[in-house]
Amino acid sequence: MQVHFLFDEPIPDVYFCNMALYQLTSLLLFASLLYVSRADEKQSTNHHFFKVQPGGEMHIVSRNLGPFECAFTYAAQGGTNEEWFFDLDADHDGKLYTCSIGRPSGSSYLVFTQFKVEINGANLKDVELYSSQGEKLGPEEYNLNKEEHTVSSVEGGFQSQLARIHVLAQGVKTEL
């Protein structure tokens, strides 16, 4: 097949093969992106950024994802506000939830005088807390109360360094 365009010169068949290959590649890429976006629909997320405000006053930041709620209460001292993230995630059937709160850089210059994370709509399973140096907080620094669904700083034990909190919770079973 010979096609003529500008200057009345034939366009080689290779050009049409390359165009067909390009279109097929584009179609496959679109289909794979569509598949990935559908797969992501199986997991729910709620991402939020907020400012941790120093000054020693108590502040509360709370987020919901369906029936799951995670609240972060804190008091901090230091220079200026810091931007922190607050992410909630749930698996596709609402059996597991995570609440992650922290400084995107993993390090904070603020001095926390106290903190508390409380969850509702799920059972608290486990927590990981990290200092500004990236080390896990010791068990003497926080109290994990699974019955009350809270984790909080221990007065006199908490070393005032907090940069990240990860909470794992299991969805509450409801009988029909």
Side-chain angles (χ1 to χ4, degrees):
M1 174 169 110
Q2 294 282 326
V3 177
H4 297 270
F5 280 105
L6 298 175
F7 308 114
D8 202 33
E9 290 186 25
I11 297 175
D13 291 337
V14 172
Y15 176 80
F16 291 105
C17 289
N18 286 342
M19 283 299 291
L21 185 58
Y22 174 78
Q23 290 173 344
L24 179 62
T25 304
S26 297
L27 180 63
L28 289 174
L29 180 61
F30 175 76
S32 64
L33 289 174
L34 183 62
Y35 176 76
V36 169
S37 70
R38 296 270 183 207
D40 286 346
E41 288 176 1
K42 294 179 181 176
Q43 184 172 358
S44 299
T45 60
N46 182 332
H47 303 289
H48 176 70
F49 285 95
F50 69 102
K51 300 284 186 188
V52 170
Q53 302 170 2
E57 297 177 11
M58 294 296 289
H59 297 276
I60 298 175
V61 181
S62 179
R63 303 299 295 169
N64 290 49
L65 182 62
F68 179 63
E69 178 186 19
C70 185
F72 176 49
T73 305
Y74 69 90
Q77 298 284 357
T80 60
N81 296 346
E82 286 184 343
E83 184 173 74
W84 281 46
F85 64 83
F86 199 131
D87 294 342
L88 301 182
D89 294 295
D91 67 355
H92 67 282
D93 52 2
K95 291 183 180 177
L96 289 177
Y97 294 94
T98 58
C99 174
S100 299
I101 305 164
R103 184 95 159 110
S105 68
S107 173
S108 173
Y109 59 82
L110 295 177
V111 175
F112 286 83
T113 56
Q114 57 184 305
F115 73 88
K116 179 179 179 180
V117 175
E118 182 174 5
I119 63 167
N120 291 301
N123 295 317
L124 183 60
K125 288 295 181 193
D126 199 13
V127 297
E128 288 184 352
L129 302 124
Y130 294 90
S131 72
S132 294
Q133 290 77 32
E135 299 170 358
K136 283 188 177 181
L137 296 188
E140 70 281 356
E141 294 189 70
Y142 65 92
N143 179 41
L144 174 61
N145 188 329
K146 290 184 178 182
E147 292 175 5
E148 293 184 9
H149 310 290
T150 62
V151 59
S152 56
S153 55
V154 172
E155 189 174 344
F158 177 52
Q159 300 299 310
S160 302
Q161 295 296 311
L162 186 64
R164 283 180 292 156
I165 301 167
H166 299 289
V167 176
L168 176 65
Q170 185 170 12
V172 178
K173 296 178 184 175
T174 56
E175 300 295 325
L176 296 178

